[in-house]
Structure formats: structure tokens, C-alpha cells
Amino acid sequence: MDNLVFATNNAHKIKEISEIIGEKFNILGLKDLNCFDDIPETGNTLEENALQKSRYIFNKFGVNCFADDTGLEIEALDGRPGVFSARYAGEGKDFDDNMNMALGELLGIENRKAKFRTVISLIIDRKEYFFEGCINGIITKEKRGKNGFGYDPIFKPDGYNLTFAEMDSAEKNRISHRGLAMNKLIEFLKNYTH
């Protein structure tokens, strides 16, 4: 089984991806490389950030790797938090603060349409590829559910009565933005020949 490094220290993400990819690849995280660097994410788009992270790891360690960047894009907030989703409420704040900020900005606003978008940048055998997944939904008025992470408790995908945080991981992985992007990556890797 080939190793493939996921350029993240987020244990939730590594677990989610390992569940999706299964037996095809052995997914390693940054700590498996003893990499504790603060990898820059200074891009203005999800694509730029994902590519910046994968190039950083590839250039430093010379390993096949992929990185993702995910943004929650809320229509009434002109697409915010978008590329700034992880640090929306400011440096040193957590996702609870981020959710509270988004909910506060949406107070009294009827249009609660939003979409989650994930972009994956893969570098394999010195070639670069992009994969994208997107899911539409709405922002709930309050947090619901204990599963998942990030903005999951306030995002209800179209066609469902549950937020991501109320779904079990298998159901969420099947329909989520990250799951959709991952499935494109997996299909590519399944058919990939050196």
C-alpha cells in the first residue's frame, strides 16, 4: 500500500479521509513526518491555499501529498467567511467563536443560503492536480448536534432535516463537500499509473 501524506495536523480530517479512502492508500498526517511547521496559508482563494500547503510539504519532504482548504460561503454575507473560515472570529478563536460570529451577522436576515466548498491540491510524481467538492444548504438559527467539527452544527444540507453535526460520520462523508472532493481524488488515484 502506498503512503500518501495529507498535509494537516487535524486528527478529525485524517480520520474522515482514512474512512473514505479505506484500503487503497495509507494516509499519513504531518506529525507522521515529524512536521510541526506552521505552514503558511496566505492565499486569497481556497485553490491558492491548498496548493501552497501541498507544495510546501512536497518541496520540504519530497513525498506524494495532498492538502485541502475548505470554506463556508454564506450568500447574505457576500461569500464570507470563505477562505477565512478557520479564523473568522480572529486569531486564537475557536470554531464556537466562528459560529457565534456568523450567527450574529445573520440575525434578522431571511436569506440563509450557504455552501461548503472543499478544494484538494494533489502532488503526485511531481505533477499537480485539483479536485473540488461543493454542497449547498442553509445556516440554521442555532447550533444543533455534537458530531463533526467546524461549522457542522449550523449547516443543514439541502434535502436533509439534520445538520452535519447531527449526522453520523458515514452519512456525512457520503454527501459532504470534503467527501465529494475526496471521491474525485480517489477515483483519480484508483486509475492512476506511474
Side-chain angles (χ1 to χ4, degrees), residues 49-175:
N49 275 350
L51 184 59
Q52 195 173 23
K53 289 189 275 189
S54 61
R55 279 185 179 165
Y56 183 93
I57 295 305
F58 183 79
N59 291 335
K60 183 163 183 176
F61 297 98
V63 293
N64 289 334
C65 64
F66 66 96
D68 74 333
D69 201 24
T70 294
L72 174 65
E73 300 171 355
I74 302 172
E75 196 173 277
L77 301 182
D78 300 319
R80 288 191 322 271
V83 75
F84 302 108
S85 292
R87 50 196 179 282
Y88 192 43
E91 291 300 326
K93 302 288 188 181
D94 63 16
F95 270 109
D96 227 33
D97 299 316
N98 292 338
M99 282 188 284
N100 291 337
M101 184 161 166
L103 289 172
E105 289 184 311
L106 286 172
L107 274 178
I109 294 177
E110 284 301 307
N111 175 8
R112 302 187 77 85
K113 286 185 192 163
K115 67 180 171 191
F116 258 129
R117 209 161 62 85
T118 291
V119 175
I120 296 172
S121 163
L122 168 71
I123 300 179
I124 190 164
D125 299 331
R126 301 193 165 276
K127 294 192 189 75
E128 296 174 348
Y129 304 90
F130 283 105
F131 307 90
E132 182 178 324
C134 182
I135 185 164
N136 294 310
I138 61 158
I139 302 301
T140 56
K141 290 196 160 68
E142 72 287 318
K143 298 173 201 162
R144 297 184 352 217
K146 297 280 179 235
N147 300 326
F149 60 99
Y151 293 90
D152 287 357
I154 63 169
F155 184 82
K156 185 168 73 74
D158 287 349
Y160 292 82
N161 290 320
L162 302 175
T163 66
F164 271 168
E166 292 174 304
M167 295 179 178
D168 64 37
S169 66
E171 185 175 18
K172 179 193 163 188
N173 289 344
R174 202 179 72 249
I175 64 166

